[in-house]
Structures are given as structure tokens and as C-alpha cells.
Amino acid sequence: MAPKTDINLQTQVIYSVYVRAHTEEGSFRAIIPDLDRIKALGTDIIWFMPIHPIGEKGKKGSLGCPYANRDYRTVNPQYGSEADFRLLVDEIHKRGMKCMIDVVYNHTSADSVLLDEHPDFFWRDENGNPGNKIGDWADVIDLDYSNTGLWDYQIESLCGWARVVDGFRCDVASFVPITFWNMARGMVNREHPGHIWLGETVHRSFGNQARREGFYSCRDSEAFEVFDIEYDYDIWEEFERWLEGKIPLSGWLEMMNFQEAMYPVCYNKLRCLENHDQPRIAERVPDERARDNLTAMLFFLKGTTLLYGGQEFSCTHRPSLFEKETFPRSGRDISAYLRKLSDIKHTAMDADDSFFAGADDENDIAVLLRQNETRKKIGVFSLKAKSAAVEVPAPDGEYENLIDGRPVTVKDGKLKCEGKPIIFAFPNPITKKY
């Protein structure tokens, strides 16, 4: 694992804010009145999608994509000034939360300040023109990390922002050399000890495709040498196949067991049901009871939990990255439910837990176990809201469902699942055997 990773990140919640879409004003200052509400969801860290100026050349849509970054060292004037952003960060800190910003270091916009000042910092196609290796990303040009001068510039930029914020979410982190991230982490942590590093490691098939085509893509096991948290895109495709009915539930859950077996003991995967790149879960799973189970399971999983702005209002539409679309707040409000699940994550889950997953494929019920040397936690989640008796790794007896306070009875090694999520905990009688 990365040096000095805070294991307590395992029990924390990140809330993702897209400034343009979060309020009608679409500004830094307009977010401040909403901070108490965000905090009340159980949020520990607010992650801002890119706050920097957006390129004009080749932009997509009328406003362009925030991931087509024009200048790493300033802020998007449409959002406000740097002073406005610093005020927002101060207000976040006053409420006991931390602030993380997006750093997009694989590429820039085609009219970036960096291209004007350092054209030698960019990857070139077979014709010698700045370009990108991924055809769909037509609004950006890739950086070339074989130029060590680029390393100095990028690390200097990171150190500057580390004096303001508490962490970085590193976009397409797999495509930037792990040796660069390693050096950057060391330099940044001198400026801000305990800085948080979240890496957007790519889908397993995407990384394999890049390597087949001769491009660099680090593996998730390598990424853990630098990043405190990394995406769970290594198993996301199994999640999607299960949602689409192409594989049984066990096919997805067995990949979680594989993660537990293969990664370092304190590995931390970012767990989410939706984000700015993925469809809304309320669109994919319209059944509210089934979605309640999935949401409870999200908070039970080992790793940091991610909520995407609007998820608390059961939004079905994902805001465009290229236009102005404010997410509505008129849908089913599950804020109180999320707060309850956050409380459970903060108090009933342990940062040093091991994790094990089992499935009732016939009824799409997940039976999950977390444990450390002190206590065990059982989660039973009926992901299609079906009722069934399921086997659980708990002694016979009566327990309390931490979600709703109702009794849970285990008899002959089974409990009756009524289609609602169940989480309960009890002391772990097993000691380590060597």
C-alpha cells in the first residue's frame, strides 16, 4: 500500500459536486448555503469535479467538458474567482469536512496554456501533431510523460493546490506513469501531510485494450503503491452484466472476493452506484425497494463510499458534461436514509475488516460478512426485493437490524429476509490462529 495511507478512509463518505450542475447559479459561492445539507448526509469529504478553465478549441456542446482543462493553475471564471473557491474551502473546513479537487493529468484541452508555453510536453501522432490516443476524446490532447520537464511543472502545480485543499481525485490515473504519481505524492505530502490520493483506475477491459495497442496503463495492484483509494472499475463490468441479467449475482460478488484475496490487506476501493461517467442508479433500478437494498449494500461494502450529487433525490437523469443542466431536487428524497447508512458505516464498520461475499442466486440476495478481531457484521441485501430464507454466518439468536431497529432472528443458521435490507453486528468469538 501507499505509505502513510489513513486506514480510516475505509469508513468515510465522499460526496461529488459538479459545480456547473449543483445550483442554478453554477458558482463556488452558491454551494456554500448547501454545505450543511451535504454534511447532514454523513459526508466526510467533498470532491469537486474539475474547477479549472475549460478549453474552447474543439469543445463539445455549448459549454465544453470540465475534463478538457485549459489551465491547471487557475479556476474557471464562470464558477467565480480563486478567492471565492478559497472561501468555499474554508466553509467546508468549518463544518469538519475535507475538500478534494479533480486533477486531469493525462491530457489538456487543445488550446491549453501548457501547449502554448511548452509544446514539447505533448504526445504527437504519426504526423507529428498533438493528439490523443483515445479517439472518442476528440476535445483533448495527451501529455507526454517521457519529458521530465513536464513532471516538474505538474508537481509544482499540485504542490500549489495542496496548500489549499486536502486531496486529489486523479483522472484516468492508470494512463499516467505510476513513477510520476509516486514522486508527486512524496513532494505534495511535504506541503500537506496526510493529503488524500484517489486514483481513477480504469475499467479492466480498457486497461487491457490500451496495453494491447502499445500504450501505458498501470495495473490496479501497482496503483495501490501510490493511491490511498482507487476506483472499483476492475469489477464494474461484472456489476453491469449482473444488472443486465447476463450473469448471476454470484458472478459479481465473486469478483469482490477476488479483490479481497489479491490486493494488500488494507486495500481501499471506491464504492459507488453512479458517478458523472455512469448512468443514474435510479434509472437503472427503478424499483425503490430493490434500490434501497443496493444502497444499503453500497455502504456495507469494504471501501470508501461515493455519492454523486443528486443521488439523494433519486435523480434519473445525469447532468450533461457539455451543457448547463442543474439536477432537480423534486424526486424521492432519501437523505435521511443515507444519513442512517452513513452513521452505520462510521460506527458499526471497522477500518481493519476483512470481507467475504456469498449469494443466493435464485433470489438475488447478497449475504455479506465483515469481521475483525473484535466483531462481525452481517449484511443481507435482497437486490430484487424478494423474500426468502437465507443462510447466514451467525450463531442462532436474536439481533437488532441496525437500519430500522427491528429484531432479526437467526434459527438453524438461517434468517427470513422479507425483501428489506438487514445489517447486524455481534462480538467475534474467533481469535487469530497462527
Side-chain angles (χ1 to χ4, degrees):
M1 286 295 296
K4 298 182 180 178
T5 287
D6 182 1
I7 192 173
N8 293 308
L9 291 168
Q10 290 274 0
T11 60
Q12 295 190 353
V13 176
I14 298 175
Y15 184 93
S16 175
V17 171
Y18 180 12
V19 177
R20 181 193 290 169
H22 196 80
T23 64
E24 288 295 334
E25 297 88 343
S27 68
F28 295 134
R29 283 181 174 267
I31 295 168
I32 294 173
D34 202 32
L35 290 178
D36 289 333
R37 185 192 66 81
I38 295 173
K39 171 70 173 178
L41 297 173
T43 302
D44 302 287
I45 303 165
I46 293 180
W47 151 36
F48 290 104
M49 289 167 56
I51 61 170
H52 305 295
I54 296 170
E56 288 290 327
K57 184 177 180 180
K59 72 179 181 182
K60 294 182 178 181
S62 63
L63 296 177
C65 178
Y67 289 90
N69 187 333
R70 189 170 184 274
D71 187 351
Y72 291 115
R73 299 187 175 184
T74 60
V75 300
N76 187 341
Q78 294 179 348
Y79 294 170
S81 66
E82 185 173 336
D84 292 332
F85 180 68
R86 286 175 177 267
L87 174 63
L88 174 57
V89 175
D90 287 343
E91 292 296 328
I92 290 169
H93 289 161
K94 286 179 183 177
R95 289 161 174 80
M97 296 182 288
K98 292 184 177 181
C99 177
M100 175 183 292
I101 61 169
D102 229 309
V103 292
V104 187
Y105 270 24
N106 178 66
H107 50 258
T108 74
S109 70
D111 55 354
S112 68
V113 169
L114 205 54
L115 180 63
D116 289 338
E117 296 177 353
H118 297 282
D120 55 317
F121 285 179
F122 288 83
W123 179 82
R124 305 278 170 160
D125 63 20
E126 62 273 12
N127 298 315
N129 299 316
N132 71 82
K133 308 177 192 77
I134 309 299
D136 183 50
W137 298 352
D139 56 341
V140 298
I141 52 176
D142 286 357
L143 291 161
D144 180 5
Y145 280 85
S146 67
N147 189 322
T148 56
L150 173 62
W151 291 40
D152 295 337
Y153 184 95
Q154 298 291 62
I155 290 174
E156 184 178 295
S157 301
L158 289 173
C159 287
W161 285 111
R163 301 181 191 109
V164 181
V165 300
D166 309 294
F168 298 134
R169 180 266 187 190
C170 303
D171 186 66
V172 203
S174 302
F175 289 178
V176 176
I178 197 69
T179 46
F180 166 80
W181 290 125
N182 195 16
M183 178 178 288
R185 178 175 179 128
M187 298 295 287
V188 164
N189 284 2
R190 295 179 189 176
E191 298 287 344
H192 189 153
H195 203 76
I196 302 165
W197 292 81
L198 164 61
E200 187 201 19
T201 41
V202 300
H203 289 70
R204 189 171 69 251
S205 62
F206 194 17
N208 286 338
Q209 175 191 343
R211 287 187 286 271
R212 279 198 306 272
E213 295 179 8
F215 300 121
Y216 175 85
S217 179
C218 81
R219 293 161 176 82
D220 284 24
S221 55
E222 298 170 309
F224 273 126
E225 297 173 13
V226 171
F227 294 102
D228 303 304
I229 315 165
E230 62 179 51
Y231 271 48
D232 70 346
Y233 279 170
D234 55 329
I235 66 170
W236 187 265
E237 288 154 319
E238 278 72 26
F239 170 57
E240 292 188 323
R241 292 187 187 108
W242 168 73
L243 279 178
E244 295 164 1
K246 295 178 180 178
I247 62 171
L249 176 61
S250 58
W252 174 35
L253 298 188
E254 273 303 309
M255 293 302 292
M256 295 183 191
N257 288 331
F258 182 79
Q259 289 177 329
E260 184 72 16
M262 295 303 296
Y263 293 132
V265 64
C266 292
Y267 75 98
N268 188 343
K269 283 286 184 176
L270 186 72
R271 307 295 183 177
C272 69
L273 297 176
E274 61 182 61
N275 59 49
H276 68 271
D277 283 324
Q278 304 300 332
R280 293 286 197 181
I281 195 62
E283 176 189 11
R284 284 183 155 182
V285 183
D287 183 275
E288 292 180 358
R289 294 182 69 207
R291 200 164 65 247
D292 285 348
N293 276 272
L294 261 175
T295 302
M297 178 174 161
L298 170 68
F299 281 79
F300 188 90
L301 294 177
K302 182 175 178 178
T304 304
T305 300
L306 173 68
L307 298 174
Y308 180 45
Q311 188 172 346
E312 66 271 41
F313 297 107
S314 307
C315 292
T316 56
H317 176 69
R318 178 179 37 154
S320 169
L321 287 177
F322 319 120
E323 307 292 346
K324 170 62 176 174
E325 292 182 345
T326 306
F327 70 77
R329 307 190 182 204
S330 55
R332 179 187 177 224
D333 188 346
I334 61 169
S335 298
Y337 187 53
L338 295 176
R339 176 67 202 202
K340 181 64 179 178
L341 295 173
S342 295
D343 288 344
I344 293 171
K345 187 175 188 71
H346 290 144
T347 61
M349 303 296 114
D350 292 300
D352 61 345
D353 280 340
S354 297
F355 176 88
F356 311 92
D360 173 352
D361 281 333
E362 181 179 354
N363 297 293
D364 280 282
I365 298 176
V367 180
L368 309 182
L369 167 66
R370 294 180 60 147
Q371 69 176 37
N372 65 358
E373 292 186 52
T374 303
R375 55 182 174 175
K376 292 188 175 184
K377 309 92 186 173
I378 306 291
V380 178
F381 308 102
S382 184
L383 303 183
K384 297 293 175 64
K386 296 180 180 178
S387 298
V390 293
E391 293 185 2
V392 293
D396 286 1
E398 189 168 284
Y399 305 89
E400 178 190 356
N401 185 353
L402 299 178
I403 297 175
D404 58 18
R406 295 181 179 180
V408 175
T409 301
V410 178
K411 184 177 180 181
D412 299 328
K414 294 185 176 182
L415 64 76
K416 182 63 183 297
C417 171
E418 301 289 353
K420 295 182 179 180
I422 297 169
I423 297 175
F424 62 96
F426 55 94
N428 187 1
I430 300 175
T431 57
K432 281 189 175 180
K433 299 178 177 67
Y434 295 94

